Structure formats: C-alpha cells, structure tokens
C-alpha cells in the first residue's frame, strides 16, 4: 500500500502550533516504518503573514516549510475566505490528497474544509466540536460549518463530543485530547532552557499579570476594548501585553494613552510565550489557546469574554469569564488573589488528555485509510470512539 497523502491547511498563529505537533507525530510514524506512512504537504493560506505571527513558529517549532503559501493576506471575511477557496481548489485538484486536514476555527479552517468537501476529498478536523453558542463570533460559524463538512472529527473533550451529537454528528468522531497539550509538554523544558524573556523584560516570576487581547468582539467594539484597558490600568502590578497586530491597529495612536503598569510588547515567539505564561501570577485573555495553557501551568485565568468554549475550566474553578466590564474583571482578579493566585488544589488534572493526542490522530488517519477511507459525512448512527 502506498503512503497516504494529506494536505494540511494552516494560516493563523494557533494553527501553526497545533499542526507542529501532528507533523511531528507523522514524521515519527514514518521513521518507525512498518506501514504505509503519511505523505504530508503543508499549505499556508497566508492569513497571518508578519514574521512574528508566522515565520517564527515555523522556525522555532521546526515545522516543515509550506509547499505553497497562497499569500491571501488580510481582508473582509468574504474576500479573505473567497480568495483562499479559489486558490485551495487548484492546490487540491493538483495535489489529489486522500485527506485534507484542518485545525480550529479560523477562516483558513472554513476555506480548507469547504474547498475539499466540494471536491469530495474527505476532511479531517482537529479541535472539532467546540461551541460558544454565539453565532456573532466568526469562529463559531467557521467551526460549525467545518464540523458538518468533516468526515473525521477529532474532539479534545467529552463536551465537544456531546456538542456534535446534539447536532446529529456521531460518525467519524474521535475523542483524542488536545494537541496543544502535546505541544506544551514537548516544548516546556526547551522554553525554560532557551527563553530569556523574563530577564529581558526585568520580570521576577509571579510578579506580573500576562494578558492577550485579539478577539474581533473585543477589538472591534470600542466600549469593550476600553473596558478591558480600564481594568488593566488599575492593577498595581505590571500587566505584560504581547499585542496582536489587530489590536495594535485598532488602538492606533491610543496605544500611547493606555497608561497604568501596562507593558505593551510585540507578539512573542512560542517559547517566550510559554515562559511568560508559566511564570505569570495570573493570566487575562480572550484567546482560546491561552486559556488552556494557563490551566496546564497552574495559573488562574480570567477570560475577557462573555462565554468560553472551554467550559471545563470554569467548572473546575480554574477560569472565570468576566466579559469586559472593568468591575467584573477586577472582581475576578481580586478573588483569585485572595485564593493565593493558585488554582484549586482539588482540580481535575487531565481535562484535555494525556499529551498523546497527535499520535492518536495519526493512528486514526492510518486506520481509517486502511479500512478503505472515511465514510461520507452523514447524520446516521454510530457512536464516537476514543482514538
Ligand atoms: C484570526 C482568527 C481567530 C484566531 C486568530 C489567532 C478568523 C476569523 N479569526 O483572527 O479565530 O483566534 O486569528 O491569532 O479567522 N494582521 C497583521 N498581520 C498579520 C495578521 C493580521 O497586521 O500577520 C492584522 C490585519 O490588520 C488584519 C487583522 O490583523 O486585518 C486581523 O487578522 P485576521 O487574520 O483577519 O484575523 P485575526 O484577528 O488574526
Ligand atoms: N502565542 C504566542 N505568542 C503570543 C501570543 C500567543 O506564541 O504573543 C501563542 C499561545 O501560547 C497559544 C497560541 O499562540 O499557543 C494562541 O493563539 P491566539 O491567541 O492567537 O489564537 P486563539 O487560540 O485564540 O485562536
């Protein structure tokens, strides 16, 4: 049997990090031999293009160079997604993959899934089944569509499996855990050894709060963004804010007026980010990935959104969703401080698997191909399998 051909579609920062783990597992499988192996081709849509949002992750995480960069760049949702669709179609037609692998919930995810499904190429979706139940978020629309088009759905959690079942999706569903945990486990020691970010910033461990803000719902609504910054300004500790280009653009001249102890820096490479997260006293974020990383490092997290997809963290007392009201943000930080800026000692420790999700994904892809390829998407019976 010849190698299985996969085209991986990535385009945004968190996708490079997730894909790095799976690519590493694919390489390990190929090296071990004994089976058909997987021939992976990476396609970068070009959604993120600044070096600090793209190149640094390929370099640092040793991700194989993309075979193609579609160079789509920024734009409105329709324009950006449309340009990706058109260009991906050509790549898929020429590449004739057995599967297209997509990650998460960005416009690159949507375009990858849609272009493939229309060409009858089975789609495998990593980080499937997450829901915020808020259709005003572009990510919610992207993930719902991707899930309904996918033939193989890799869920990080039991909640995600249940969410899919409620939408009638039970076939091809595999609960495999979270590939971002694989990544944290693989890279943390390296980050400790090689990142000098704390020295560069002159920050003793546990002396500062770490924050990220980039969600459209926060950056595109001046009242929400100001609510967040008003809270940040009132902390008597440094608030380190590696700023996403979207938020930098929105703030423009207003950047100079942020004030307080807020320290705005450029987006940092992944290993620096892990170091910053691990040594933070507390994390405030509207990022999906950063919420989970806070948990893995035992750092309390305040989520600057009205809801989260990572509901297990809230239930376990590790995360509080505050929205953007300054009083609510200050209240949650105060509560965590009073608890010693530590997570509940009785929290569950393996909410997102055991750090071997990528290997499971590779095993499922190989197994499914071995059984004649994935079934077409339908809403029929069948029960989810643990990978
Ligand atoms: C995208 C995803 C979001 C994800 C985030 C990860 C969608 C709809 N959103 O949001 O789910 O959490 O990535 O970071 O896909 N920009 C630059 N340089 C870059 C990239 C972006 O300057 O390299 C600026 C541009 O002004 C651009 C804006 O950021 O218009 C937004 O970028 P875009 O890729 O559309 O969405 P994100 O906010 O990054
Ligand atoms: N991240 C990073 N540098 C930064 C900010 C974030 O390396 O300056 C990493 C972070 O550790 C996590 C991922 O990027 O692994 C999260 O991506 P982002 O917040 O952009 O997207 P989301 O997870 O919200 O989709």
């Amino acid at each position: 049997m010849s190698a299985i051909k996969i085209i991986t579609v990535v385009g945004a920062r968190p996708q490079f990090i997730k894909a790095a783990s799976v690519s590493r597992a694919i390489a390990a499988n190929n090296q071990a031999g004994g089976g058909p192996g997987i021939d992976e081709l990476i396609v970068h849509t070009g959604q993120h293009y600044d070096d600090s949002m793209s190149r640094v992750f390929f370099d640092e995480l040793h991700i194989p160079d993309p075979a193609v960069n579609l160079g789509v760049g920024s734009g409105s949702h329709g324009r950006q997604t449309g340009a990706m669709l058109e260009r991906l179609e050509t790549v898929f037609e020429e590449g004739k993959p057995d599967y297209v692998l997509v990650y998460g919930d960005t416009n690159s995810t949507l375009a990858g899934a849609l272009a493939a499904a229309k060409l009858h190429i089975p789609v495998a979706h990593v980080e499937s089944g997450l829901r915020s139940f808020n259709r005003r978020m572009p990510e919610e629309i992207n993930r719902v569509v991707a899930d309904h088009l996918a033939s193989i759905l890799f869920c990080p959690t039991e909640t995600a499996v249940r969410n899919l079942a409620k939408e009638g999706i039970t076939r091809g569903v595999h609960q495999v855990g979270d590939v971002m945990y694989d990544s944290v486990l693989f890279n943390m020691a390296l980050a400790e050894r090689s990142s000098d970010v704390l020295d560069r910033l002159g920050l003793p461990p546990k002396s500062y709060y770490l924050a990220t803000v980039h969600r459209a719902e926060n950056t595109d609504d001046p009242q929400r963004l100001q609510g967040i910054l008003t809270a940040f300004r009132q902390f008597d500790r440094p608030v380190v804010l590696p700023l996403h280009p979207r938020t930098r653009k929105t703030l423009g001249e207003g950047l100079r007026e942020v004030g307080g102890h807020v320290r705005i820096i450029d987006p940092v490479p992944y290993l620096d980010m892990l170091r910053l997260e691990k040594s933070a006293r507390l994390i405030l974020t509207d990022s999906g990935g950063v919420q989970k990383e806070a948990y893995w490092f035992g750092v309390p997290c305040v989520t600057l959104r009205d809801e989260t997809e990572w509901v297990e963290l809230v239930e376990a007392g590790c995360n509080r969703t505050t929205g953007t009201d300054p009083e609510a943000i200050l209240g949650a930080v105060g509560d965590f401080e009073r608890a010693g800026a530590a997570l509940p000692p009785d929290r569950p420790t393996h909410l997102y698997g055991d750090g071997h999700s990528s290997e499971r994904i590779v095993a499922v892809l190989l197994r499914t191909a071995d059984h004649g390829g994935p079934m077409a998407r339908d809403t029929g019976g069948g029960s989810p399998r643990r990978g």
Side-chain angles (χ1 to χ4, degrees), residues 123-143:
V123 175
H125 184 203
V126 177
E127 213 176 72
S128 178
L130 298 184
R131 295 291 181 268
S132 63
F133 304 101
N134 174 1
R135 290 269 171 117
R136 291 185 60 80
M137 289 178 70
E139 292 86 358
E140 183 77 352
I141 296 167
N142 293 344
R143 52 173 96 99

Side-chain angles (χ1 to χ4, degrees), residues 211-275:
T212 75
V213 180
H214 77 273
R215 289 276 163 199
E217 73 214 54
N218 288 336
T219 56
D220 295 2
D221 179 337
Q223 206 182 336
R224 290 182 70 91
L225 190 53
Q226 282 315 316
I228 292 171
L229 296 176
T230 301
F232 286 4
R233 225 174 263 134
Q234 295 180 53
F235 295 127
D236 51 14
R237 294 181 176 278
V239 181
V240 180
L241 179 57
L243 203 58
H244 191 289
R246 175 187 202 106
T247 323
R248 184 174 286 278
K249 193 171 150 202
T250 310
L251 281 170
E253 291 298 302
L255 265 180
R256 282 196 240 120
E257 289 146 33
V258 171
H261 300 285
V262 182
R263 290 183 61 177
I264 295 177
I265 58 175
D266 285 336
V268 293
Y270 182 60
L271 296 180
D272 282 352
M273 188 64 179
L274 293 184
R275 192 90 207 277

Side-chain angles (χ1 to χ4, degrees), residues 170-366:
T170 53
R171 285 202 187 175
V173 176
H174 302 265
Q175 190 186 336
V176 292
D178 197 313
V179 295
M180 293 190 93
Y181 188 37
D182 303 14
S183 181
V184 164
L185 293 178
F186 185 82
N187 288 293
M188 193 51 229
L190 193 58
E192 297 273 15
R193 277 201 308 277
S194 66
S195 166
D196 62 355
V197 67
L198 297 184
D199 296 337
R200 275 189 279 124
L201 295 174
L203 293 168
K206 301 295 166 187
S207 68
Y208 62 92
Y209 298 156
L210 176 68
T212 75
V213 180
H214 77 273
R215 289 276 163 199
E217 73 214 54
N218 288 336
T219 56
D220 295 2
D221 179 337
Q223 206 182 336
R224 290 182 70 91
L225 190 53
Q226 282 315 316
I228 292 171
L229 296 176
T230 301
F232 286 4
R233 225 174 263 134
Q234 295 180 53
F235 295 127
D236 51 14
R237 294 181 176 278
V239 181
V240 180
L241 179 57
L243 203 58
H244 191 289
R246 175 187 202 106
T247 323
R248 184 174 286 278
K249 193 171 150 202
T250 310
L251 281 170
E253 291 298 302
L255 265 180
R256 282 196 240 120
E257 289 146 33
V258 171
H261 300 285
V262 182
R263 290 183 61 177
I264 295 177
I265 58 175
D266 285 336
V268 293
Y270 182 60
L271 296 180
D272 282 352
M273 188 64 179
L274 293 184
R275 192 90 207 277
L276 280 169
E277 288 173 335
K278 186 170 185 214
S279 297
R281 193 171 172 78
L282 217 133
I283 291 176
L284 301 108
T285 190
D286 59 9
S287 157
V290 175
Q291 289 175 61
K292 288 173 292 169
E293 287 164 350
Y295 162 73
W296 290 319
F297 290 129
V299 177
C301 183
V302 174
T303 296
L304 307 164
R305 292 179 45 201
D306 300 328
E307 72 278 309
T308 177
E309 298 76 20
W310 305 104
V311 289
E312 310 79 16
L313 297 176
V314 177
E315 284 157 14
C318 302
N319 187 329
R320 287 263 302 269
T321 53
T322 57
T324 57
D325 171 45
E327 292 308 314
I329 298 169
L330 292 167
V333 168
D335 289 345
F336 277 130
E337 281 288 5
R338 275 187 290 282
L343 295 187
D346 58 348
R347 68 189 179 279
T349 48
H350 286 94
L351 286 173
Y352 300 106
D354 58 3
H356 294 283
S357 305
S358 308
E359 287 141 71
R360 285 198 189 90
I361 287 170
V362 170
V364 170
L365 291 173
L366 288 167

Side-chain angles (χ1 to χ4, degrees), residues 40-60:
E40 185 193 29
L41 208 94
I42 296 179
V43 176
H44 189 324
T45 61
Q47 179 171 351
H48 286 177
Y49 44 84
D50 291 350
D51 279 353
S52 63
M53 297 295 288
S54 175
R55 163 71 25 219
V56 287
F57 298 96
F58 282 83
D59 291 348
E60 209 173 44

